[in-house]
């Protein structure tokens, strides 16, 4: 097919009239045997195609059904109807693909997000999901643009690894064994030496460790790829397969790290506001409708776009874990036992209810928490002078909770191996990682931004399953 179509988005933006075009797209609705609302995915605005009465064969008109694909050539003219400035007066209508309207699961009415999740193969065809995935694209593009403009190197870290970067043991195993009959050692344990890679392997939980290796030569690198966690969390913020952006920078301390993370988040949101205004306005309206169903006290104070503008125009609040615990402990929420997990002692891990309290109720803006207790953080984080805390930073966002996790890394070999031993992490298996601390170690830092949580934040979608095309969650890997 000689594809010489013009995108509907261009036609509508252009506004000029009296010229011939070819468009291709899918029928959203067909009214009065005359007016076709055609959508080609470039925008949620449909093009009104007018099939003049009497001009087209009944056999063609019959096949213009919801979901059918059309090629239309005609003339762009000023629209007589309300709601659009231009319309396409059809000269020729070709049916590219039929769609049985009776059986088509997407009817021209409102479907619930839950229902659409079950037909995720078709949900791209709704305005909501088309907008979400265009915004997701723009955010991903902005990620690369931000780092490229700053001279970072995009590093492809492995998907299959033999290490557990976070030391949390939440890994999916990768094996080539026949699971009913794996090679065994004499003591009955599985003999991974006989497996495909000659050792036990898993899907990566993070590209950080490999990122650090490259940062010790290229100085500024970032990864942007899929990561996998076998944590059995069936929440609106967890996926078993999610995308993460992980920059890693030599000659950076924790403060440099926070500054970069804050600048980065503001940049990509601003870029998307500038480039996907229509989609964000659509999503903002969608959210406003959804919020109307909620009781007053649960509604957000700001609209979606207002919230995004607020985030790019205000500094994130920075405080230590210790200060946050103090605030939480003294909060009315804690005193009135409104938290499911009450805050009593220093040292506990923060639950999402605590994070959201700080961000949504107390500060009402994104918060960067630093210097967490070492016992609730990963082995690679740099130990602070106090012997109790590490140079960690988490960024918490309204409506989401933790969106970024990062730290300054422990570059001192003896301190690092000491901590690994305490945490029973094999220094032998990670010997290659320790080499960076043997040969020219420098202060360095990095962070990980959960891409889907960012997309949730920007689109206002409350469930993470709705911002990735095909979500992988416990007991679900459809499509
Ligand atoms: O805090 P995490 O576990 O940090 C790391 O993986 C570090 N290696 C990052 C680094 O310093 N290079 O994960 C980072 C972010 C979280 O803040 C969250 O946004 C996201 O990844 N995340 C998830 N997103 C969706 N589903 C899950 N199961 C997630 N687990 C973490
Ligand atoms: Mg974390």
């Amino acid at each position: 097919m000689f594809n010489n179509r013009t995108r509907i988005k261009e036609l509508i933006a252009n506004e000029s009239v009296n010229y011939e075009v070819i468009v291709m797209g899918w029928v959203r609705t067909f009214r009065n045997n005359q007016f076709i609302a055609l959508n080609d995915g470039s925008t949620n605005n449909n093009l009104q195609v007018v099939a003049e009465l009497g001009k087209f064969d009944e056999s063609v008109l019959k096949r213009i059904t919801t979901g059918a694909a059309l090629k239309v050539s005609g003339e762009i003219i000023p629209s007589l109807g309300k709601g659009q400035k231009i319309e396409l007066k059809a000269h020729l209508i070709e049916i590219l693909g039929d769609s049985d309207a009776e059986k088509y699961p997407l009817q021209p009415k409102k479907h619930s997000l839950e229902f659409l999740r079950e037909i995720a193969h078709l949900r791209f065809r709704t305005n909501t999901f088309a907008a979400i995935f265009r915004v997701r694209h723009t955010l991903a593009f902005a990620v690369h643009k931000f780092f490229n403009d700053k001279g970072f190197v995009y590093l492809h870290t492995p998907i299959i690894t033999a290490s557990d970067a976070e030391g949390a043991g939440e890994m999916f195993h990768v094996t080539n064994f026949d699971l009913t009959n794996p090679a065994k050692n004499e003591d009955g344990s599985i003999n991974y030496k006989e497996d495909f890679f000659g050792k036990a392997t898993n899907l990566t939980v993070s590209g950080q460790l490999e990122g650090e290796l490259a940062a010790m030569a290229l100085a500024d690198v970032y990864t942007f790829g899929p990561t996998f966690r076998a944590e059995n969390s069936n929440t609106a913020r967890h996926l078993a397969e999610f995308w993460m952006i992980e920059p890693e920078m030599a000659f950076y301390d924790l403060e440099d790290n926070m500054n970069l993370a804050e600048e980065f988040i503001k940049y990509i949101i601003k870029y998307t506001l500038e480039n996907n205004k229509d989609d964000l306005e659509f999503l903002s309206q969608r959210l406003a409708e959804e919020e109307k169903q909620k009781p007053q006290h649960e509604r957000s104070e700001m609209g979606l776009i207002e919230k995004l503008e607020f985030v790019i125009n205000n500094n994130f609040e920075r405080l230590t874990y210790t200060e946050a615990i103090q605030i939480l402990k003294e909060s009315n929420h804690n005193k009135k036992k409104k938290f499911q997990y009450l805050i009593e002692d220093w040292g506990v891990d923060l639950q999402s209810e605590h994070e959201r309290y700080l961000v949504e109720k107390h500060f009402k803006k994104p918060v960067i928490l630093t210097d967490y207790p070492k016992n609730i953080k990963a082995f690679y984080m740099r130990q602070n002078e106090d012997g109790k805390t590490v140079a960690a930073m988490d960024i918490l966002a309204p409506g989401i909770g933790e969106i970024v996790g990062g730290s300054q890394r422990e570059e001192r070999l003896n301190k690092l191996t000491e901590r690994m031993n305490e945490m029973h992490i094999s220094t032998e298996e990670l010997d290659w990682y320790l080499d960076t601390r043997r040969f020219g170690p420098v202060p360095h830092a990095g962070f990980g931004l959960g891409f889907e949580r960012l997309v949730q934040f920007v689109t206002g979608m409350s469930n993470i399953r709705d911002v990735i095309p095909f979500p992988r969650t416990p007991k679900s890997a459809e499509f």
Side-chain angles (χ1 to χ4, degrees):
M1 176 181 284
F2 180 54
N3 193 333
N4 48 3
R5 76 185 175 101
T6 307
R7 286 200 165 82
I8 290 173
K9 185 180 179 175
E10 271 168 52
L11 294 176
I12 291 175
N14 187 332
E15 286 190 11
S16 52
V17 290
N18 303 325
Y19 60 102
E20 298 285 317
V21 291
I22 296 175
V23 296
M24 299 183 204
W26 294 269
V27 177
R28 284 288 170 85
T29 56
F30 186 29
R31 282 188 300 121
N32 301 348
N33 232 11
Q34 210 182 158
F35 302 108
I36 308 165
L38 196 73
N39 188 282
D40 70 356
S42 59
T43 165
N44 276 348
N45 295 314
N46 300 324
L47 178 67
Q48 169 147 293
V49 176
V50 185
E52 267 176 284
L53 289 174
K55 188 166 169 185
F56 296 90
D57 253 20
E58 196 50 40
S59 62
V60 171
L61 295 174
K62 249 180 29 206
R63 292 168 67 196
I64 303 176
T65 53
T66 301
L70 307 185
K71 173 178 178 179
V72 185
S73 9
E75 187 185 359
I76 295 290
I77 56 168
S79 177
L80 303 174
K82 281 201 188 117
Q84 68 270 324
K85 291 210 171 108
I86 57 149
E87 61 190 28
L88 179 64
K89 187 173 155 198
H91 299 327
L92 198 71
I93 298 176
E94 197 182 317
I95 311 285
L96 297 177
D98 288 292
S99 169
D100 184 339
E102 302 269 288
K103 293 194 183 133
Y104 190 52
L106 288 172
Q107 296 302 319
K109 62 158 194 167
K110 218 171 149 52
H111 293 291
S112 75
L113 295 171
E114 289 77 13
F115 169 73
L116 293 172
R117 227 172 273 150
E118 283 168 24
I119 53 162
H121 57 302
L122 297 175
R123 67 179 177 170
F124 299 108
R125 301 169 183 216
T126 65
N127 284 339
T128 298
F129 285 92
I132 291 169
F133 291 116
R134 279 189 299 261
V135 168
R136 185 180 163 112
H137 158 78
T138 302
L139 287 166
F141 182 79
V143 166
H144 289 299
K145 182 159 166 50
F146 176 83
F147 287 118
N148 183 63
D149 288 354
K150 279 197 177 298
F152 279 59
V153 172
Y154 177 29
L155 186 77
H156 296 103
T157 48
I159 308 257
I160 299 174
T161 78
S163 53
D164 179 3
E166 292 302 299
E170 292 164 337
M171 299 173 300
F172 288 101
H173 299 289
V174 174
T175 178
N176 207 30
F177 277 147
D178 169 1
L179 290 183
T180 61
N181 186 24
K184 298 253 174 89
N185 295 310
E186 272 173 18
D187 65 0
S189 59
I190 293 180
N191 180 4
Y192 285 106
K193 288 206 178 80
E194 295 292 315
D195 202 355
F196 190 91
F197 296 105
K199 54 163 77 169
T201 50
N202 53 271
L203 294 177
T204 187
V205 295
S206 153
Q208 181 194 322
L209 302 190
E210 292 90 352
E212 283 187 58
L213 309 180
M216 288 303 103
L218 301 167
D220 296 317
V221 303
Y222 72 105
T223 71
F224 185 0
T227 48
F228 307 86
R229 300 209 180 164
E231 50 189 334
N232 207 354
S233 318
N234 233 324
T235 79
R237 302 176 314 122
H238 287 89
L239 290 167
E241 176 180 299
F242 65 99
W243 288 66
M244 183 155 53
I245 296 122
E246 295 185 274
E248 192 68 34
M249 296 73 62
F251 321 114
Y252 256 59
D253 66 11
L254 189 67
E255 194 170 343
D256 297 321
N257 201 24
M258 287 192 274
N259 292 344
L260 182 76
E262 185 168 338
E263 185 190 343
F264 170 56
I265 291 174
K266 287 177 173 171
Y267 176 91
I268 50 186
I269 292 178
K270 186 155 181 272
Y271 187 89
T272 307
L273 275 169
E274 284 164 2
N275 288 279
N276 283 57
K277 191 93 189 154
D278 284 0
D279 287 327
L280 289 174
E281 267 162 14
F282 176 87
L283 291 166
S284 180
Q285 244 169 351
R286 191 210 68 85
L287 184 63
E289 292 289 316
E290 189 183 270
E291 295 251 304
K292 280 190 202 149
Q293 317 296 321
K294 291 185 185 168
Q296 190 78 38
H297 71 276
E298 279 179 30
R299 295 183 200 168
S300 34
E301 286 167 27
M302 289 184 211
L304 182 63
I305 292 187
E306 211 184 339
K307 175 190 83 175
L308 297 176
E309 276 166 356
F310 178 84
V311 167
I312 58 181
N313 292 322
N314 287 279
N315 291 335
F316 294 4
E317 191 74 34
R318 298 181 186 192
L319 69 157
T320 64
Y321 164 92
T322 305
E323 289 163 338
I325 287 289
Q326 207 56 35
I327 291 171
L328 290 167
K329 211 168 153 176
E330 284 164 13
S331 68
N332 271 334
H333 239 67
N334 205 48
K335 287 180 184 152
K336 290 187 181 154
K337 301 199 184 339
K338 281 199 201 158
F339 287 131
Q340 198 186 341
Y341 296 90
L342 294 180
I343 297 283
E344 278 154 12
D345 301 307
W346 188 92
V348 294
D349 205 354
L350 297 182
Q351 303 295 324
S352 111
E353 55 175 346
H354 307 128
E355 297 176 339
R356 294 185 62 168
Y357 177 85
L358 287 170
V359 177
E360 287 158 34
K361 296 261 175 346
H362 193 84
F363 291 111
K364 298 182 190 285
K365 52 152 73 168
V367 168
I368 312 186
L369 284 190
T370 61
D371 304 291
Y372 282 75
K374 65 177 180 184
N375 289 335
I376 57 171
K377 288 291 181 187
F379 69 94
Y380 51 71
M381 296 192 181
R382 194 174 197 279
Q383 294 164 56
N384 289 331
E385 295 295 310
D386 62 12
K388 294 193 308 191
T389 59
V390 285
M393 64 114 177
D394 276 9
I395 302 186
L396 316 178
I400 310 281
E402 181 191 334
I403 192 161
V404 162
S407 66
Q408 185 173 339
R409 318 307 188 190
E410 183 57 82
E411 83 284 10
R412 297 162 297 186
L413 181 63
N414 58 340
K415 291 263 183 198
L416 181 57
T417 51
E418 204 178 286
R419 189 73 191 129
M420 288 170 78
N421 289 333
E422 276 170 17
M423 295 177 79
H424 307 289
I425 289 167
S426 167
T427 51
E428 221 166 286
E429 274 170 30
L430 288 181
D431 196 55
W432 48 270
Y433 179 68
L434 296 174
D435 264 357
T436 51
R437 275 66 172 172
R438 293 187 182 112
F439 309 111
V442 294
H444 64 289
F447 61 86
L449 171 77
F451 189 54
E452 283 73 22
R453 291 198 188 166
L454 175 82
V455 183
Q456 267 192 284
F457 183 71
V458 174
T459 58
M461 300 303 292
S462 52
N463 196 312
I464 200 165
R465 293 167 179 81
D466 295 331
V467 298
I468 187 165
F470 302 106
R472 271 75 183 98
T473 52
K475 301 276 176 288
S476 166
E478 294 305 310
F479 311 105

